[in-house]
Amino acid sequence: MIDTRSLAAEALGTGFLVCAVVGSGIMAERLAGGNVALALLANAIATGAALYVLISLFAPISGAQFNPVVSLWLSVHKSQSWSITAAFTLAQVCGGIIGCLTANAMFGLDVLQISDSARGGTGQWLSEVVATLGLLLVIAGIGKHSRERIPTAVALYITSAYWFTSSTSFANPAVTIARVFSDSFAGIAPSSVPGFVAAQLAGLALAYVCATPLFHQHPR
C-alpha cells in the first residue's frame, strides 16, 4: 500500500523545488539588468540552497526523490516497488506544475502560461545525459557510504552543473515538464521536452552501466 504521507512529501517537495527554480529565475531576470551570467548565478544558488533544505526536510518521509529518474533508479535496483515509482512520478509531475503556477502568481504574471524558449540540439541533449548521469552517480556513490551527506552533495552538484552544462542541468523529467508553464528565464518550450526527457532517460541507463562496477550495485 502506498503511504499518502510519502506521496504528499514528493508532491510538496517537487512543488517547492520548481517554485524555487522558476521564482528565482523570474527574480534574477528582473534584477540582473540584462546580465545573463548574473541571472544564471542567482538562479543556480537559489536552486542549490532550496535542494539542500528540501532533501533534508523530506528525506525521512519519502526519501526526497523529487525526480522520476531517481525513482526509476530505485525500482531498477529493487529498492522500491514499481507501483510506488509510478505513484511518486505522478505526484512529482503534478507537484512541479503547481509549484510553477505558484511562482507565476507570486510575481504577478499570468498564472497559466506556456514557454516559447526552445532548447535542444546535440550539445544540450548531451548535457542532459551528463547531468543526469552525474546526479545518479552522486546519489549512488555517496548514499552507499554516507547517506547523511546526500543533501549537501546533490545541492552542490546541481549548483555546479548549472554552469558546466549547456542545458543548465534540468536532469529531472518532472521539473522539465513543469517548466513548460513558465514563459520566463527558466522556461522550456513544449516541443523541447521530449528531447530533454529522452536524454535524461539515457543518462539513467548510462548510470546503471557505470554504477555496477564502480559501487558494486547489483539488482537484488
Side-chain angles (χ1 to χ4, degrees):
M1 182 176 180
I2 299 171
D3 180 11
T4 55
R5 289 176 64 249
S6 295
L7 285 176
E10 285 298 301
L12 193 58
T14 310
F16 268 105
L17 173 59
V18 174
C19 197
V21 172
V22 173
S24 64
I26 296 169
M27 180 69 84
E29 192 173 33
R30 288 183 176 181
L31 299 181
N35 188 327
V36 179
L38 181 59
L40 182 62
L41 178 62
N43 194 205
I45 291 172
T47 300
L51 259 177
Y52 174 81
V53 174
L54 292 169
I55 294 172
S56 299
L57 177 63
F58 290 112
I61 303 174
S62 67
Q65 297 168 32
F66 310 150
N67 187 335
V69 295
V70 174
S71 299
L72 284 168
W73 176 264
L74 294 174
S75 287
V76 166
H77 285 89
K78 300 184 179 179
S79 299
Q80 178 171 282
S81 72
W82 289 101
S83 61
I84 290 177
T85 288
F88 274 18
T89 297
L90 180 60
Q92 291 156 0
V93 171
C94 291
I97 292 172
I98 292 170
C100 185
L101 300 181
T102 301
N104 293 339
M106 288 196 301
F107 285 90
L109 303 174
D110 291 339
V111 174
L112 185 59
Q113 51 185 267
I114 301 296
S115 175
D116 62 2
S117 297
R119 301 174 187 257
T122 303
Q124 292 204 30
W125 294 328
L126 176 59
S127 291
E128 283 301 292
V129 174
V130 171
T132 307
L133 166 64
L135 174 62
L136 293 173
L137 291 180
V138 166
I139 293 170
I142 295 194
K144 186 175 178 63
H145 302 290
S146 182
R147 294 186 65 84
E148 66 275 8
R149 292 169 56 196
I150 287 180
T152 302
V154 169
L156 289 174
Y157 175 78
I158 291 297
T159 301
S160 66
Y162 257 78
W163 285 87
F164 74 73
T165 65
S166 63
S167 65
T168 67
S169 185
F170 283 47
N172 184 329
V175 170
T176 303
I177 292 168
R179 287 168 69 167
V180 165
F181 298 93
S182 173
D183 191 19
S184 72
F185 180 79
I188 179 172
S191 60
S192 300
V193 169
F196 266 55
V197 172
Q200 291 155 5
L201 293 175
L204 168 64
L206 189 56
Y208 179 83
V209 172
C210 293
T212 299
L214 283 173
F215 308 120
H216 305 291
Q217 288 204 342
H218 300 274
R220 297 188 183 93

